[in-house]
Amino acid sequence: LSTAMRPAGYMSMLRAVSFSSSSRQRRRLAHSVAPLPFEADSLQRLVSARSFRRQRAYQAKLVDKLNLILHDSEFQHRPLDEVVTSTASDPQLAECFNHASEIWNLELYWSRLTPGGIAPPSELLRWIERDFESYDRLVEQITAHARGIWGSGWTWLILDRRSLRLRVCNTFAGASSHPLALGLKPLLALDMWEHAYWYRYRGDREAYVRAYLDLVNWQAVSSELIATANKVDEHAKLKYVIRIAMDDMQSLQMSTVQHGTVDLNELPSLARLQLMDERRDDLSSTLVGAIREVSSELEALPSVRKTSTAALHSIAQELRGVKSR
């Protein structure tokens, strides 16, 4: 940051070490404010340079206070996300959680921005269209959630690792919950505290949210989404593929799978879907568990057609044949 951009508390952004009074050894502070790859006046549509400096100074004070709270504690040198998950829902650690979670949220908030924004790549748009129908509908959901916060809080775009679905949700000021503590993967975090939008937008939360989304680096969101999806366990991936196949069977006559085409007038075959390798008998039990879970989910939906039920019975029959060989 240039000299003109240095806010109060700026030294907390620069300090990387502290000294133990007993050992005199150099030790890293638990946390610091990460620098941003743009200038204070680069996001004028969203936030003025003055407000930007004010918000960054506030973040620096939070970091200073958190380091004091963590000093000589079991969390002192843990990553910030671990501090958040370890202290959530524990009233005795509320002060630590409040500071750690707010700092983590702010880091994600700022890191997703880039001057001018970067449009969603095609791969991300496929996920968005599957879970929200369109990018415009996603924006509408985010805006509706942000407007619906009573008081202050955060609006999130998250990936549910269990279902591999994108969702929008809120967390509220004073609550001890956080997406990280619930095993969810935050992809976007919109700051809905008044200091984030009041000076530029007054009470117009929708204008603020749309301005933020226009400046998001959606390529970074896409990269993190794909990286997270690739790390989930095989059981979750199988459920995802089976669920997608069921969705396709309700709306399509033909489905392209990898480099081949499956005629959905015929009941599906795991081998044809390239989900079953006859040399891998150990896959059958994993698939059985995944299919049972998806079957239960589908049966709970009143709109599920008989095609889906028949498809699951066909797959189950194939699995029984594999297990008996």
Side-chain angles (χ1 to χ4, degrees), residues 81-95:
D81 58 342
E82 289 187 15
V83 177
V84 173
T85 56
S86 299
T87 58
S89 303
D90 187 338
Q92 294 183 344
L93 299 174
E95 185 181 28

Side-chain angles (χ1 to χ4, degrees), residues 232-281:
V232 302
D233 59 59
E234 294 301 316
H235 186 76
K237 290 179 183 177
L238 286 168
K239 286 179 60 180
Y240 167 77
V241 174
I242 293 167
R243 189 179 294 106
I244 292 300
M246 298 303 104
D247 291 344
D248 287 344
M249 287 172 192
Q250 294 189 55
S251 60
L252 302 175
Q253 293 301 312
M254 302 293 290
S255 175
T256 301
V257 180
Q258 292 188 3
H259 300 294
T261 300
V262 177
D263 186 351
L264 294 182
N265 289 319
E266 301 177 10
L267 290 176
S269 160
L270 288 173
R272 294 185 67 194
L273 288 170
Q274 300 184 17
L275 293 176
M276 175 61 72
D277 185 342
E278 294 185 357
R279 297 168 296 180
R280 292 282 308 281
D281 291 353

Side-chain angles (χ1 to χ4, degrees), residues 91-317:
Q92 294 183 344
L93 299 174
E95 185 181 28
C96 182
F97 169 79
N98 289 337
H99 282 78
S101 61
E102 194 72 5
I103 294 165
W104 193 94
N105 298 353
L106 288 167
E107 286 186 356
L108 181 60
Y109 174 87
W110 292 114
S111 69
R112 285 292 184 257
L113 295 173
T114 189
I118 296 177
S122 58
E123 190 165 19
L124 176 59
L125 284 175
R126 285 194 291 272
W127 285 72
I128 291 173
E129 289 166 1
R130 184 201 69 188
D131 293 333
F132 301 100
E133 296 184 4
S134 68
Y135 175 77
D136 289 342
R137 291 294 297 274
L138 168 62
V139 173
E140 289 173 7
Q141 279 210 31
I142 293 175
T143 302
H145 276 74
R147 285 201 311 260
I149 291 179
W150 179 258
S152 302
W154 291 81
T155 294
W156 305 85
L157 174 64
I158 60 93
L159 174 68
D160 187 331
R161 289 184 174 93
R162 293 172 296 180
S163 63
L164 287 178
R165 294 282 193 177
L166 296 173
R167 293 198 288 115
V168 178
C169 63
N170 288 336
T171 54
F172 303 93
S176 59
S177 62
H178 194 279
L180 289 175
L182 298 174
L184 305 170
K185 174 61 179 180
L187 299 171
L188 276 184
L190 278 80
D191 189 348
M192 298 311 300
W193 288 70
E194 286 188 349
H195 63 244
Y197 60 86
W198 187 258
Y199 293 102
R200 174 58 57 88
Y201 293 100
R202 298 303 177 185
D204 193 347
R205 288 183 172 184
E206 180 172 350
Y208 160 72
V209 169
R210 291 183 179 274
Y212 182 89
L213 295 177
D214 285 345
L215 295 174
V216 165
N217 180 350
W218 288 101
Q219 180 59 61
V221 174
S222 180
S223 298
E224 192 151 355
L225 166 63
I226 300 306
T228 302
N230 285 334
K231 291 178 182 177
V232 302
D233 59 59
E234 294 301 316
H235 186 76
K237 290 179 183 177
L238 286 168
K239 286 179 60 180
Y240 167 77
V241 174
I242 293 167
R243 189 179 294 106
I244 292 300
M246 298 303 104
D247 291 344
D248 287 344
M249 287 172 192
Q250 294 189 55
S251 60
L252 302 175
Q253 293 301 312
M254 302 293 290
S255 175
T256 301
V257 180
Q258 292 188 3
H259 300 294
T261 300
V262 177
D263 186 351
L264 294 182
N265 289 319
E266 301 177 10
L267 290 176
S269 160
L270 288 173
R272 294 185 67 194
L273 288 170
Q274 300 184 17
L275 293 176
M276 175 61 72
D277 185 342
E278 294 185 357
R279 297 168 296 180
R280 292 282 308 281
D281 291 353
D282 59 303
L283 283 176
S284 60
S285 59
T286 305
L287 279 165
V288 167
I291 289 172
R292 282 176 178 169
E293 290 190 29
V294 175
S295 179
S296 297
E297 293 172 8
L298 290 173
E299 289 175 359
L301 299 175
S303 60
V304 173
R305 299 179 182 177
K306 292 182 179 179
T307 308
S308 299
T309 305
L312 286 174
H313 284 311
S314 173
I315 291 173
Q317 183 65 37

